Amino acid sequence: MLPFIIRRIVSLCVVLFVIITMTFWLMHTIPGGPFTTEKSLPDSVLKNIEERYHLNDPLWKQYGDYLTNVLTGDLGPSFKYEARSVNDIIAESFPVSAELGIAAVLISLAVGIPAGIISALHRNRWPDYLAMFFSTIGISVPSFILATVLIYLFAIKLDWLPAALWEGPEYGILPALALAGLPTAFIARLMRSSMLDVMAQDYIRTARAKGLSSFTIVYRHALKNAVIPVVTYLGPLTAGILTGSFVVETIFSIPGLGRHFVTSIYNRDYTVILGITVFYSALLVLLNFLVDISYAFLDPRMSLNSSKED
């Protein structure tokens, strides 16, 4: 197990290095700069600003300095938000996105996994058709349309929940439901397919021949293996949701990380784009790493195979 973990950590560091390098150079190939839209600035003032942020240094030097700062945890200052660093922006907005994202992931798991199991156990019967009907709707309807429908129903017509802003737990219900629509539908379909495959295995037939109840067969023998594809999907899903959805955050006026990311692209705020990309990538590879580690506990054959390869 230890060589496997070390190998994965090294590969994750290489992936992060490649992502930082590609993002840095691609961003600097875009014509213009963060201050080129300030046409009213005299050349001397613009030159002083670029000197302050070292934007007139050679690119290779800017790249080297940025890598050094990233290694120390410093993601640099924002070019557009005065007296604020990228670390400040992430520290301020990520907890909001994380709180919303965790709620959306929990809803997806709480609804998607049982729906997939029920659908598989009642294949080609009305519970299966009903679950797949709603999962098809969940996959087909974009999150911004679902968000609009939820606001119209529960905020305007019924007046049960607030339509926007972020001022308490009740403000997170509608955006969490809007964010959870697609992953819930995908998890339900993934769980149904995996459960059907597991229920056709010989050890499940053996368990049935022994007279075990359906609940015991599903809970003790089938669920652990059937949930592995869902765990695989959970890593990138969690990272994507935790780092924020720009569309949903914009509709509900939520001050999350996704809104800062897209705004920084419009403003050509290089350090914010790079910083959020690095943060998102690190979170993504970390969660994928945890998913890989969890395989060893869900299916011991995977850790055994890796040991043999070593």
Side-chain angles (χ1 to χ4, degrees), residues 114-137:
I117 294 174
I118 293 172
S119 181
L121 295 180
H122 299 84
R123 187 182 184 184
N124 294 330
R125 285 183 280 178
W126 71 266
D128 184 22
Y129 296 141
L130 188 65
M132 289 303 99
F133 172 75
F134 281 108
S135 70
T136 302
I137 292 178

Side-chain angles (χ1 to χ4, degrees), residues 142-291:
S143 59
F144 63 89
I145 293 181
L146 181 58
T148 307
V149 172
L150 291 173
I151 290 174
Y152 177 76
L153 286 178
F154 295 102
I156 297 177
K157 282 295 180 182
L158 300 175
D159 197 22
W160 288 353
L161 295 167
L165 301 179
W166 188 258
E167 299 177 356
E170 68 275 16
Y171 287 81
I173 296 175
L174 291 184
L177 289 174
L179 267 181
L182 175 62
T184 301
F186 192 80
I187 287 174
R189 298 181 75 86
L190 200 62
M191 193 67 200
R192 176 184 182 273
S193 175
S194 179
M195 182 61 76
L196 286 175
D197 183 56
V198 170
M199 294 300 285
Q201 299 295 317
D202 290 338
Y203 69 93
I204 297 295
R205 295 195 187 96
T206 303
R208 284 176 175 160
K210 289 181 177 178
L212 298 179
S213 65
S214 296
F215 177 80
T216 304
I217 292 173
V218 171
Y219 181 73
R220 287 190 179 177
H221 301 285
L223 183 59
K224 193 173 180 180
N225 291 327
V227 83
I228 290 177
V230 176
V231 174
T232 304
Y233 173 61
L234 205 56
L237 164 71
T238 307
I241 290 182
L242 289 187
T243 48
S245 166
F246 169 69
V247 176
V248 173
E249 289 179 359
T250 302
I251 290 175
F252 290 96
S253 298
I254 297 174
L257 195 59
R259 193 173 64 173
H260 280 297
F261 181 66
V262 179
T263 305
S264 65
I265 295 175
Y266 292 142
N267 292 334
R268 295 179 181 176
D269 198 342
Y270 292 163
T271 48
V272 175
I273 298 172
L274 267 170
I276 295 179
T277 302
V278 170
F279 179 76
Y280 176 85
S281 304
L283 189 64
L284 182 64
V285 297
L286 175 63
L287 289 174
N288 279 326
F289 173 69
L290 295 177
V291 167

Side-chain angles (χ1 to χ4, degrees), residues 103-114 179-184 187-188 237 241:
V105 170
L106 292 178
I107 292 172
S108 302
L109 293 175
V111 177
I113 290 178
L179 267 181
L182 175 62
T184 301
I187 287 174
L237 164 71
I241 290 182

